[in-house]
Amino acid sequence: MAVISGLIDYLRGTEKKTAVIAKERLQIILAHERAGRGSDTPDYLPALQEELMAVIAKYIHVDRDSLKVQLEKHDQYDVLELNIMLPDKVNSRL
Amino acid sequence: MAKVIVVTSGKGGVGKTTTSASFSTGLAMRGNRTVVIDFDVGLRNLDLIMGCERRVVYDIINVINDEISLKQALIKDKNCDNLYILPASQTRDKDALNIEGVERILNELKETFDYIVCDSPAGIEFGAFMAMYFADEALIVTNPEVSSVRDSDRILGILAAKSKRAVEGREPVREHLLVTRYDPKRANAREMMSVADIQEILRIPLLGVIPESVSVLQASNSGMPVIHMEKSDVAEAYRDLVGRFIGDDLPIRFVDEEKLGFLKRLLGGR
Ligand SMILES: Nc1ncnc2c1ncn2[C@@H]1O[C@H](COP(=O)(O)OP(=O)(O)OP(=O)(O)O)[C@@H](O)[C@H]1O
Ligand SMILES: [Mg+2]
């Protein structure tokens, strides 16, 4: 399938150039690595993560690794990104 | 006041030594008393690139261990009056360096020289740390390639956290981006990250762009820093870099595809 859609992209001329992919990948991994570097991380992030975890656990059963809190720094603004991986079947506590 | 400049990258083989050789030569050609130090203890190479390998008798470790004076270890460059080279040891390893020893050498050099250029080894281990610790400014040598950009970012983090300036809470190390081995044609075809892409990711000021060219190999073959080469884009790019570093207002060149003349194109370019 990937091959076919790649081919279609290619024929349409919409194939993503590798430099664009490289840049996107770097932006993601570096945001992550910079956040883990300490001086860049605001000190409320771990506490925020804990509290969010507690709130979410009230409604959905998720494990610790399924919640990611990240601060991505841009030139003019920062983005606080919450990423919650829900389990396959949401087992709410109702 | 003498300035200590580290040429660093994290990733290996991106052009630190090539840059250290031409940058220090360029500073000297512009009338500055300059010394270039090889911090790649165990894998010395700067002497070959500068073409002084047969004149190396003593090295930085001999000075650190107080076996000889600093003066005895400095090698005068064969082309420039203002330029000296302090070679690395070939037989010792990086642990033979130490903070006190390096500081003593730099302080002594500061009495005589305007610029002290430190050619860092690859990696983020002790040798690279020693090369950057005392830096006032840093040239971050980066290739348009994912692993190089990532490692440069890592080095920037270390400069900001662990350099002497950072530790002492002084004004931070001044960082400059130098993109090397750049191929404008491939960047414009979006097969390779562009200078703008790299700048956007690393967010430090751009000081220069050095194109990919066979003249670098020709220069290293003959033991002559590439900045001396006639009719070479790389030599011009390094001269521009030096100019900008000491305050000339020069536009960035070699980022656009060169417009080859019809005949040149017919004959296969460069
Ligand atoms: N602009 C360029 N165009 C073409 N080749 C280049 C260019 N710059 C450097 N090179 C080549 O890349 C190789 C590595 O260069 P160099 O030794 O300067 O890198 P380095 O960063 O000092 O490496 P190391 O991390 O091992 O110390 C050499 O073969 C050199 O000739
Ligand atoms: Mg080197």
Side-chain angles (χ1 to χ4, degrees):
Chain A
M1 273 320 276
V3 177
I4 294 174
S5 70
L7 194 66
I8 291 169
D9 280 349
Y10 176 76
L11 292 174
R12 279 205 195 119
T14 54
E15 183 192 30
K16 223 184 220 178
K17 289 291 171 33
T18 56
V20 180
I21 302 171
K23 186 177 167 190
E24 286 170 3
R25 290 175 59 220
L26 274 169
Q27 277 168 330
I28 293 165
I29 186 65
L30 291 186
H32 188 77
E33 288 177 354
R34 284 170 188 157
R37 222 181 260 152
S39 60
D40 266 339
T41 328
D43 41 16
Y44 60 75
L45 273 192
L48 178 67
Q49 176 150 5
E50 282 308 303
E51 286 181 39
L52 282 169
M53 195 67 210
V55 174
I56 292 162
K58 275 200 219 167
Y59 302 91
I60 313 166
H61 177 76
V62 291
D63 52 37
R64 196 154 285 272
D65 295 339
S66 318
L67 174 72
K68 293 230 155 47
V69 181
Q70 262 176 41
L71 195 71
E72 215 174 291
K73 291 191 177 277
H74 294 260
D75 281 345
Q76 313 288 335
Y77 55 91
D78 293 352
V79 174
L80 182 65
E81 191 179 306
L82 302 183
N83 211 317
I84 309 164
M85 271 276 268
L86 296 179
D88 277 351
K89 224 177 99 201
V90 179
N91 32 9
S92 76
R93 282 188 183 168
L94 287 176
Chain B
M1 249 309 263
K3 258 190 197 154
V4 180
I5 305 138
V6 62
V7 180
T8 185
S9 69
K11 189 171 160 63
V14 295
K16 292 179 293 296
T17 301
T18 304
T19 297
S20 299
S22 281
F23 182 65
S24 57
T25 300
L27 286 170
M29 292 188 329
R30 295 286 299 260
N32 302 288
R33 287 164 300 174
T34 307
V35 56
V36 57
I37 308 178
D38 190 349
F39 273 87
D40 208 343
V41 176
L43 282 173
R44 94 171 157 224
N45 268 328
L46 183 68
D47 55 336
L48 274 177
I49 303 302
M50 300 293 299
C52 66
E53 70 278 4
R54 293 181 54 190
R55 288 189 289 142
V56 176
V57 183
Y58 301 114
D59 59 63
I60 185 169
I61 303 301
N62 296 131
V63 186
I64 287 188
N65 292 343
D66 257 330
E67 293 154 10
I68 50 151
S69 71
L70 178 57
K71 241 198 189 128
Q72 285 174 285
L74 288 177
I75 300 172
K76 192 176 169 306
D77 184 64
K78 60 186 179 197
N79 299 302
C80 302
D81 281 343
N82 287 328
L83 182 60
Y84 287 81
I85 300 125
L86 180 56
S89 166
Q90 188 69 305
T91 51
R92 306 293 296 270
D93 65 23
K94 305 209 169 24
D95 295 329
L97 290 166
N98 63 64
I99 290 203
E100 299 75 33
V102 172
E103 182 162 39
R104 188 166 48 81
I105 290 177
L106 292 179
N107 284 341
E108 201 176 327
L109 290 173
K110 281 180 184 175
E111 290 168 16
T112 327
F113 291 97
D114 302 314
Y115 292 107
I116 302 168
V117 178
C118 304
D119 180 18
S120 173
I124 52 170
E125 310 295 313
F126 190 63
F129 173 69
M130 277 293 90
M132 73 162 63
Y133 185 68
F134 295 98
D136 300 306
E137 310 211 16
L139 293 190
I140 309 296
V141 181
T142 309
N143 291 169
E145 190 253 321
V146 282
S147 55
S148 173
V149 175
R150 182 198 216 169
D151 289 358
S152 292
D153 193 71
R154 187 86 188 277
I155 283 290
L156 287 169
I158 297 175
L159 276 169
K162 303 224 171 97
S163 63
K164 189 161 191 278
R165 280 175 172 269
V167 173
E168 291 176 353
R170 285 188 291 145
E171 201 185 313
V173 177
R174 214 165 137 208
E175 299 148 343
H176 308 275
L177 175 61
L178 178 65
V179 177
T180 59
R181 312 203 63 165
Y182 193 62
D183 185 337
K185 208 166 152 198
R186 296 184 65 196
N188 290 350
R190 306 301 286 128
E191 293 168 14
M192 185 186 254
M193 279 185 284
S194 66
V195 170
D197 291 337
I198 300 170
Q199 246 186 304
E200 191 184 328
I201 295 167
L202 293 179
R203 298 184 229 134
I204 56 172
L206 178 70
L207 193 68
V209 177
I210 311 295
E212 169 82 23
S213 163
V214 290
S215 54
V216 174
L217 185 62
Q218 291 165 356
S220 73
N221 282 344
S222 39
M224 184 79 96
V226 64
I227 194 168
H228 288 303
M229 298 262 288
E230 300 287 331
K231 297 191 192 118
S232 151
D233 283 359
V234 173
E236 284 181 44
Y238 274 121
R239 274 180 231 134
D240 282 7
L241 169 77
V242 170
R244 274 181 222 111
F245 186 82
I246 58 183
D248 296 353
D249 184 15
L250 299 169
I252 298 278
R253 295 194 284 165
F254 312 109
V255 284
D256 293 318
E257 266 171 81
E258 66 177 315
K259 310 268 179 293
L260 292 184
F262 171 72
L263 201 63
K264 221 173 166 189
R265 201 180 320 213
L266 204 66
L267 298 172
R270 7 193 127 197

